[in-house]
Amino acid sequence: MSKYTITITREFGSLGRPIAHALSQKLGIEYYDRDIVDEVAKQLNLPVSQISDAEESSLGTDKEYIQDMIFDVQKDIILDLARKSSCIIVGRCSDFLLQNEENVVNIFIYAPYKARLENCIHSLEMSEDEAKRMIMKVDKARLAYHKKYAGYTPYDPLHKHLMIDSSLLGIEGTADMIAELVKRKFKDLV
């Protein structure tokens, strides 16, 4: 059976996760994000909270070895998911990990800072101060994580097929646009 994979890398607050969810519904395929963390925790016999905390925030600390261990397990999970059936994989250097696989489309979702701040306040119900801290903290951690394991930034256009500002079309519109691209690209598989 032929299959395809969509990888989604995103800025914090750009609504990448809800866009991935909407896209999975439009295409009738699974999307994986936090499920990968759950599976890593299960395989390493560690609490999900410890995996989540270490996943992107241990670079440059004495806990970096934990992050390396998490990445190795995630790599195997991501490769296995992509080889089983068509799916969407959010983050975790999936664009890099699947670079040698067939039928992969790499998407980067971003938005202007003001739109991201508003998304964090309204969609994630954060205070303005908390939203500002989280945008800075998570973007910095994701950048360091991606550069360490992939060797390039998460928004490097040489490793993306589509880069889209989610503030232009919102969740549904962005998902519709990506779905249309996928349907055209993989017309015999969708």
Side-chain angles (χ1 to χ4, degrees):
M1 179 177 107
S2 295
K3 64 201 168 355
Y4 62 91
T5 306
I6 302 163
T7 70
I8 295 181
T9 309
R10 76 275 186 226
E11 289 181 321
F12 186 76
S14 66
L15 302 175
R17 182 176 295 147
I19 290 167
H21 181 258
L23 182 61
S24 76
Q25 292 180 324
K26 292 174 187 308
L27 295 173
I29 62 175
E30 293 295 322
Y31 89 100
Y32 301 100
D33 184 5
R34 301 300 304 166
D35 335 62
I36 296 171
V37 175
D38 294 342
E39 183 59 28
V40 170
K42 182 178 163 186
Q43 288 188 27
L44 294 176
N45 198 28
L46 293 170
V48 171
S49 61
Q50 187 174 353
I51 301 299
S52 293
D53 291 346
E55 191 176 31
E56 292 178 337
S57 61
S58 297
L59 287 176
T61 70
D62 60 345
K63 295 181 182 176
E64 196 168 336
Y65 74 93
I66 294 172
Q67 191 178 58
D68 291 341
M69 190 170 54
I70 291 168
F71 182 79
D72 286 340
V73 173
Q74 281 182 350
K75 174 183 65 173
D76 294 338
I77 292 167
I78 288 168
L79 290 170
D80 187 49
L81 291 170
R83 290 174 181 155
K84 281 183 181 174
S85 63
S86 295
C87 65
I88 300 163
I89 300 176
V90 179
R92 294 164 186 84
C93 295
S94 55
D95 58 330
F96 168 72
L97 294 172
L98 299 173
Q99 66 186 339
N100 296 320
E101 299 294 316
E102 290 185 34
N103 301 331
V104 176
V105 172
N106 299 318
I107 311 289
F108 180 70
I109 298 174
Y110 65 95
Y113 181 80
K114 184 179 177 183
R116 294 166 59 203
L117 190 61
E118 288 176 16
N119 290 337
C120 289
I121 292 168
H122 300 295
S123 297
L124 301 176
E125 300 178 357
M126 295 179 172
S127 70
E128 185 173 342
D129 288 342
E130 181 184 17
K132 288 177 180 178
R133 276 193 310 275
M134 288 300 292
I135 288 170
M136 188 173 69
K137 178 184 173 187
V138 175
D139 281 352
K140 182 180 176 184
R142 286 180 180 164
L143 175 63
Y145 183 87
H146 210 90
K147 285 176 82 172
K148 176 183 179 182
Y149 293 108
Y152 54 87
T153 65
Y155 44 82
D156 184 333
L158 297 177
H159 299 276
K160 300 295 178 238
H161 298 106
L162 177 68
M163 299 174 81
I164 185 166
D165 176 350
S166 61
S167 72
L168 293 174
L169 302 172
I171 293 169
E172 290 299 318
T174 302
D176 284 339
M177 189 176 130
I178 296 169
E180 183 61 30
L181 170 106
V182 168
K183 288 174 184 175
R184 287 181 182 214
K185 172 78 176 152
F186 303 122
K187 58 184 173 265
D188 298 331
L189 304 176
V190 179

